[in-house]
Amino acid sequence: MIAYVKGKVTDVTVNTVTVEAGGLGYELNVSAFCARACAVGADVKLPTFLQVGESGVFLYGFVDRAEKDMFLRLQSVGGVGAKMALGVLSGVTPTDLIACIAHGDTTALSRVKGIGKKTAERIVFELRDKIAKEIQELPTGVTVPVTAVDEEAVMALMALGFNKNEAMVAVARVQGENMTPEQIVFKALKG
């Protein structure tokens, strides 16, 4: 396994970065965010993932460990391969993806090129429990949009001592279809 590549960037395209390290040029498949973060001539250290399959050997590079971790989690979703996972990460940052999953915002995920409604629903459904810790640790200032019913639950949690961001994250973490504000609050306090 190649954990990272450290060296000088020699070429950048929309979805690849070439890094020269030890006299070798490593072409990394990257997200659009990673490609924009790399400039020709810059020294970088990019976490990597090596994939060996029937169609070839591919080396994926990431702007940081959080992007790599989300890439691996996305691949655990049925029907989401490496190229689709990289496509998702080209459309949304890992933090925004966590917020979308927390809220169940399949509409925002469906706007990502190559992601349909069913795939977006599968991503939200299959990753919600796997990223519960990250949902709780959403940074202050990351707003998780809520529906009118959820807003009532947020206000109730704030009355119980939660700050607004904590309440929004708690509601997003536990919400389900056709839940009343009381059920959401109860589940948020319990969880």
Side-chain angles (χ1 to χ4, degrees):
M1 181 62 91
I2 300 172
Y4 63 88
V5 173
K6 181 178 179 181
K8 190 173 291 294
V9 176
T10 59
D11 188 41
V12 178
T13 68
V14 175
N15 55 5
T16 64
V17 171
T18 303
V19 179
E20 184 179 336
L24 296 173
Y26 295 92
E27 184 177 76
L28 309 173
N29 295 296
V30 297
S31 71
F33 293 113
C34 185
R36 284 193 296 269
C38 295
V40 173
D43 289 321
V44 295
K45 180 179 177 183
L46 303 175
T48 59
F49 174 75
L50 179 66
Q51 182 182 47
V52 179
E54 291 178 14
S55 58
V57 178
F58 301 95
L59 188 59
Y60 296 91
F62 308 95
V63 73
D64 57 21
R65 183 67 192 193
E67 188 180 46
K68 179 179 178 179
D69 290 345
M70 190 56 72
F71 173 82
L72 296 173
R73 286 188 173 139
L74 281 165
Q75 285 192 89
S76 73
V77 174
V80 177
K83 286 184 181 182
M84 187 178 288
L86 206 56
V88 170
L89 293 172
S90 289
V92 294
T93 66
T95 302
D96 290 341
L97 181 58
I98 291 167
C100 286
I101 292 168
H103 180 60
D105 190 354
T106 58
T107 305
L109 285 177
S110 296
R111 288 187 205 121
V112 174
K113 185 178 178 182
I115 303 296
K117 184 178 181 188
K118 290 194 185 267
T119 303
E121 289 171 350
R122 201 173 324 115
I123 289 170
V124 168
F125 177 75
E126 292 187 28
L127 291 185
R128 184 171 283 182
D129 291 337
K130 292 178 183 178
I131 65 166
K133 181 180 176 193
E134 287 86 347
I135 289 171
Q136 289 178 335
E137 296 172 351
L138 277 173
T140 304
V142 174
T143 58
V144 180
V146 293
T147 64
V149 171
D150 297 335
E151 187 64 39
E152 271 188 68
V154 168
M155 298 305 279
L157 287 171
M158 288 173 62
L160 294 171
F162 284 63
N163 71 37
K164 185 168 184 170
N165 195 56
E166 290 170 337
M168 291 176 76
V169 170
V171 168
R173 187 180 72 242
V174 301
Q175 76 181 125
E177 290 186 34
N178 301 323
M179 289 178 71
T180 66
E182 293 80 17
Q183 290 170 322
I184 293 170
V185 169
F186 179 75
K187 196 170 178 184
L189 291 172
K190 199 174 166 185

